[in-house]
């Protein structure tokens, strides 16, 4: 996997590069701002861009704006966004396009999980931090998820993170068959099509949420 990293903090930038290189991946460029990121993506055509949300010059949402441009102009390049804060703008649309992930920076400390998420995103899948998912699925005045049981909401959250039925079963300490039953019930209650593909399931959930906003 060929990777570019955009992070304005040099220590974290080098740390990310070290983790990815130790896992056998090729870090082809390391930059500190969104403008340089777009330039190196155009130059190297990487499999994955690891991007900080807040970078110079304004330290607002440069990373997410760059992610939108990358996924529009360089569709072969997946984007994994890292942030200390949750910024929901663009997230639903980016996940809907595939090849996108959003993790809080604390997640990098869980090295195996970070690498698994990066590789899944590079393959065209999705990886959303549980806190991001909680915000996306938070009850609203007219809650589209009101018909779900607490356990079904929990399973739906894990689906939206991009986890497979096997991954959900391991996390919840239940059988895969039990998860399949919950997933079928969730999709039925939400009027969504059945699918065994993890990314399709995320797309279905997020398409429903987009329509309900």
């Amino acid at each position: 996997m060929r990777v570019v990293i955009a992070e304005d903090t040099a220590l974290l930038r080098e740390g990310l590069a070290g983790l990815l290189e130790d896992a056998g991946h090729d870090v082809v460029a390391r930059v500190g701002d969104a403008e340089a990121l777009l330039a190196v993506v155009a130059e190297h055509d990487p499999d994955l861009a690891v991007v900080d949300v807040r970078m110079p010059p304004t330290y607002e949402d440069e990373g997410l704006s760059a992610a939108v441009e990358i996924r529009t102009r360089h569709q072969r390049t997946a984007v994994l966004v890292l942030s200390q804060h949750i910024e929901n703008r663009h997230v639903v649309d980016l996940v809907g396009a595939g090849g996108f992930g959003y993790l809080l920076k604390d997640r990098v400390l869980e090295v195996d999980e970070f690498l698994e998420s990066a590789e899944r995103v590079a393959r065209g899948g999705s990886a959303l931090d549980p806190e991001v998912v909680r915000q996306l699925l938070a009850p609203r005045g007219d809650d589209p998820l009101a018909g779900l049981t607490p356990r079904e909401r929990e399973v739906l959250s894990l689906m939206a993170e991009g986890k497979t039925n096997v991954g959900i079963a391991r996390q919840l300490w239940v059988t895969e068959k039990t998860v399949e039953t919950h997933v079928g019930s969730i999709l039925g209650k939400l009027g969504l099509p059945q699918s065994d593909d993890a990314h399709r399931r995320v797309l279905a959930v997020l398409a429903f949420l987009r329509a309900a906003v």
Side-chain angles (χ1 to χ4, degrees):
M1 183 169 72
R2 300 171 67 256
V3 186
V4 300
I5 299 173
E7 164 61 57
D8 64 294
T9 303
L11 185 60
L12 180 54
R13 185 168 65 238
E14 294 306 310
L16 289 169
L19 289 178
L20 290 161
E21 288 175 338
D22 286 348
H25 303 301
D26 183 14
V27 178
V28 297
R30 314 171 194 193
V31 298
D33 61 74
E35 184 177 353
L37 166 64
L38 294 175
V40 295
V41 167
E43 177 183 355
H44 294 285
D45 189 28
D47 302 303
L48 177 69
V50 180
V51 181
D52 185 16
V53 166
R54 298 183 178 183
M55 291 185 289
T58 67
Y59 292 94
E60 292 181 355
D61 66 345
E62 286 84 357
L64 281 176
S65 297
V68 171
E69 186 165 350
I70 290 169
R71 297 300 293 133
T72 300
R73 298 174 60 182
H74 307 279
Q75 296 182 10
R76 206 186 73 79
T77 299
V79 179
L80 177 59
V81 168
L82 302 178
S83 179
Q84 290 180 323
H85 312 280
I86 297 176
E87 170 58 71
N88 285 341
R89 195 182 328 177
H90 304 306
V91 170
V92 170
D93 289 334
L94 283 164
V95 172
F100 176 76
Y102 191 144
L103 301 179
L104 295 182
K105 287 185 177 179
D106 289 348
R107 196 69 53 188
V108 177
L109 300 177
E110 300 172 19
V111 175
D112 290 342
E113 185 173 341
F114 166 70
L115 292 171
E116 180 185 355
S117 295
E119 291 162 2
R120 182 165 72 244
V121 169
R123 292 193 300 267
S126 304
L128 294 182
D129 193 279
E131 289 299 325
V132 176
V133 173
R134 270 192 274 276
Q135 286 205 14
L136 289 174
L137 301 184
R140 296 183 281 274
D142 183 16
D143 184 6
L145 310 180
L148 302 185
T149 67
R151 178 59 106 183
E152 287 170 348
R153 282 178 176 265
E154 193 172 13
V155 171
L156 177 61
S157 294
L158 295 172
M159 287 169 60
E161 289 174 32
K163 294 187 182 298
T164 64
N165 285 357
V166 173
I168 295 171
R170 287 174 180 165
Q171 184 154 339
L172 298 182
W173 293 89
V174 297
T175 66
E176 187 177 352
K177 185 65 175 177
T178 297
V179 174
E180 290 174 1
T181 300
H182 285 311
V183 170
S185 177
I186 291 165
L187 296 179
K189 288 180 180 180
L190 298 184
L192 299 170
Q194 287 277 5
S195 173
D196 292 329
D197 181 84
H199 180 56
R200 280 182 179 171
R201 298 194 311 174
V202 173
L203 291 182
V205 170
L206 293 179
F208 175 80
L209 293 175
R210 184 189 295 116
V213 170

